[in-house]
Amino acid sequence: MTPPQLRAVVPLGRHGWAQRHPAGAGKQNPPPTPRHPHPHPHPHHHENSPHHTHPSDVHPMTDLDSTPPDQLTHRTHTDGLDAHLVVTRGPFHLDITLTAAPGEVVALLGPNGAGKTTALRALAGLTPLTAGHLHLDGTELHHTPPESRPVGVVFQDYLLFPHLTALDNVAFGPRCQGATKPAARAQAAEWLDRMGLTAHATAKPRNLSGGQAQRVALARALATRPRLLLLDEPLAALDARTRLEVRAQLRRHLADFEAVAVLVTHDPLDAMVLADRLVVIEHGRIVQEGTPSDIARRPRTDYIAQLVGLNLYKGQAAGHTVQLDSGPAITTTEDLAGPVFVAFPPSAVTLHRDRPTGSSARNLWRCEVAGLETHADQIRADLTGELPLAADLTTVAAAELDLHPGAAVWATVKATQTHAYPA
Amino acid sequence: MSGQAETIKGGRDRTRTRTRMVPLPLLVPALLGLAFLLLPLVALLIRAPWRTLPEQLTSAEVWEALRLSLVCATAATALSLVIGVPLAWLLARTDFPGRGLVRALVTLPLVLPPVVGGVALLMALGRNGVAGQWLDEWFGITLPFTTTGVVLAETFVAMPFLVISVEGTLRAADPRYEEAATTLGASRFTAFRRVTLPLIAPGIAAGSVLAWARALGEFGATITFAGNFPGRTQTMPLAVYLALQNDPAAAIALSLVLLTVSIAVLAGLRDRWMTPS
C-alpha cells in the first residue's frame, strides 16, 4: 500500500501562492526530512489583505528560477502546513503526515471512525498529540494551546453561540484578539457582507437557515485571520438542495482563502469539488493521496473504489494480462509488469444469460447474481462467482435477462474498458 | 414549539385519565395526602387575624425581622453565586481524583440537620473554632452571633441547592461551545464568562431562587451559630418561633408573609418545574 510519505504538492493556479511563486508550482514529492526552522518566526498573521507581503517574500531567496530544487523543498516546508499527527486513545491509533502549501485546500476523506475528526481536533489543539509535530508557516504549534493557535474551525453543526447575534458571533474572535467592541463589530459586518449576510446580522442563530448558519460559521472562523482553516463535514448538516448551493459558495470562499484549508468529509463529491488534493484515511492511516481526478481514476483501496464507483482488483501483471491475487486473469490494454491494480466501472460490464459466442470481449467470467438494487434509472447487480463484481444495466436489459438473486450469468468486460496501474 | 406540542399531548393524557375509573386504593390515600398538605395552609388562612393584620405587619419588630431576612437571604445567595458557580463548573467540567467524593460532600448540607450544621460552623468559625481563633487573633473578626454569621449559616445550608442546579445545567450544556470559543482565541476563563455563563443562565437563575428560598427559611443553623438577637440576627423564622410563645396572632401574621414569599417563588419557577417536560 502507499506509504504515508508519498504526496504530491500541487498548488493550483487559482491560488495566490502559486501566482506569487510560479516556479514553485508543480514541485513534486518533497522529501519528508530534514526540517529547517524558518529564519523569521512570525506568530502574528493578522494582515491578510491581498497586498500583504508574504513572509517568504522577505526571505533571502529571491531568484526562484535559479533556486536549487532542495531549497524550493525547504520553501514548501516552511510556508503552510507541515504536520505529523500521532494520537493514541485506547485501541484507536491515528498516525498521519499532512503537508499543504498556502492556498491549498486539502480534504481528509474516509469512512466513519477513520480518525478524520481526531486529526482535525489535533490540528486545532483540542486533542493533544501523543507524538509527532505541527508546524504552521515555520512556527512550532504542537505545544501551543488552542486559543493561541492561528487556526480557525468551522464545526460540523457550526456551534454558533445561541445567545449572540450573527454579527456578535463573528465579532467574538476579533474581540478575543484584543479589538475594541466597535472595531470587532465593524470587522464582523465586513465579513457578513462578504458572505452576503448583511440582512441577517442581527438574527440569532436559531432564526438562520442551515445555509446561512454555515456561512456565519465560516465568517466567524475567517474573522480571526487564521493561517489554517479547518472545516469538519462543512456540508453534512444541510439538506440536499441547500447543499448544492452552499457547496458552490464554499468553493468560491475557499478559493479566495490564501492560507491552508483542511476539510474533513466522508462525501467524495464534497471532497472532489472543494479540495485541490485528497488524503484518504482508513483506520487512522493514510491509504492514498492525490488530486481528485487521480484518486477517481486510480483508487488503491476497496473503500475508495466503492466511493468513486469502480470495480477494483489487485494482481500481478505480465504484459497485457493481469493475474489477480485471488481469482481469474484480466486482459488489459496497458502493458505492465509486477504488482498492479485493475479497475473498471460497473457500466463496462455486459451480462449474458448464456455463454456468449463470437464476442470480442477477452474477459469472460461465470457469475451468480447475489443481489439487485435500483440506482437512478439503472439496475446495479451484485455478482459473486469467478470474479466478484458490480454491474450496471438498464431496467429493460435486467428484465430481458430475467435477473434475480441466484441467477447464473456470464459477465464480459472489454479490455479497452479496463484500466491497470502499478500498485 | 416542541413545548407547545408536549402541552397539548399532556392535556390529551389528562382527558383520557379522567374518563377512566381511578382505583379506590389509590384514590383514597391520594386525597388524604392532598388534604394533609393543604389543611395546615388553609388553617393558617382561617385563623389569620385579618382585622389586626395591618397593625401586626407594620410593627417595627416585624419590619426589622423581615428586612434582616431579605438582606441576609440575598447576601447568602450572592455569596453562593460567587463561590458556588465556580465550584459547580469545577465539578462538571474538570476531572480530578476524588471528584465523586467532593461532589458527595458538597451535597451533604442538603441532608444534614441544620442544627448540626450550626454546631459545625461554631466548631469551625466560632471564637475558639478551628479557623475562628485565627480570625479573632489576627484580624479581630468574630463571626458567631453577628449578622455576618447569619449570612454564613444560610450560605452553608443554601449553597448546595445552587451548586447542584448549576452543575446539572452545565452537564446538559454542550461543552463544544467552549471549544468553539477557544478556537476563536478565547482563554478558558473568557469562554466561561462570555459563552458558558450566558448559556447556563436559566440554571443559575433557578438555582439562585432555590437557594434564596432555602436561606430565607433557615432556622436551625442560624439560631445555633448566630443566636437570636432582634435587629442583628433575628430573622423571620426565628421571629415566628419566638412570637408563637407570647403572641400567636403575630406568629400567624409573620407566617402569612413567609407563605406569600414562598408562593411568589413557586410562581417564579412555574415555567421550569410546573410544566410537563
Side-chain angles (χ1 to χ4, degrees), chain B residues 18-42:
Chain B
R18 210 182 292 144
T19 55
R20 285 171 55 180
M21 278 291 286
V22 179
L24 274 185
L26 288 180
L27 187 65
V28 173
L31 290 179
L32 253 170
L34 190 63
F36 176 71
L37 288 177
L38 287 182
L39 185 65
L41 300 179
V42 174

Side-chain angles (χ1 to χ4, degrees), chain B residues 29 44 65 103 138 148 174 272 275:
Chain B
L44 200 60
R103 196 171 180 279
W138 293 349
T148 313
D174 194 339
R272 201 175 161 75
T275 50

Side-chain angles (χ1 to χ4, degrees), chain A residues 121 126 146-147 151 153 155 157 159-163 172-173 175-176 220 224, chain B residues 174 176-177 179-188 190-191 194-195 198-199:
Chain A
R121 291 178 59 86
L126 298 172
E147 62 265 30
V151 175
V153 186
F155 291 89
D157 35 7
L159 295 177
L160 295 176
F161 305 131
H163 61 289
F172 190 94
R175 277 287 278 154
C176 288
R220 185 176 71 168
T224 60
Chain B
D174 194 339
R176 293 180 312 141
Y177 283 112
E179 288 186 349
T182 306
T183 66
L184 293 168
S187 67
R188 220 167 167 193
T190 306
R194 294 201 51 208
V195 176
L199 286 179

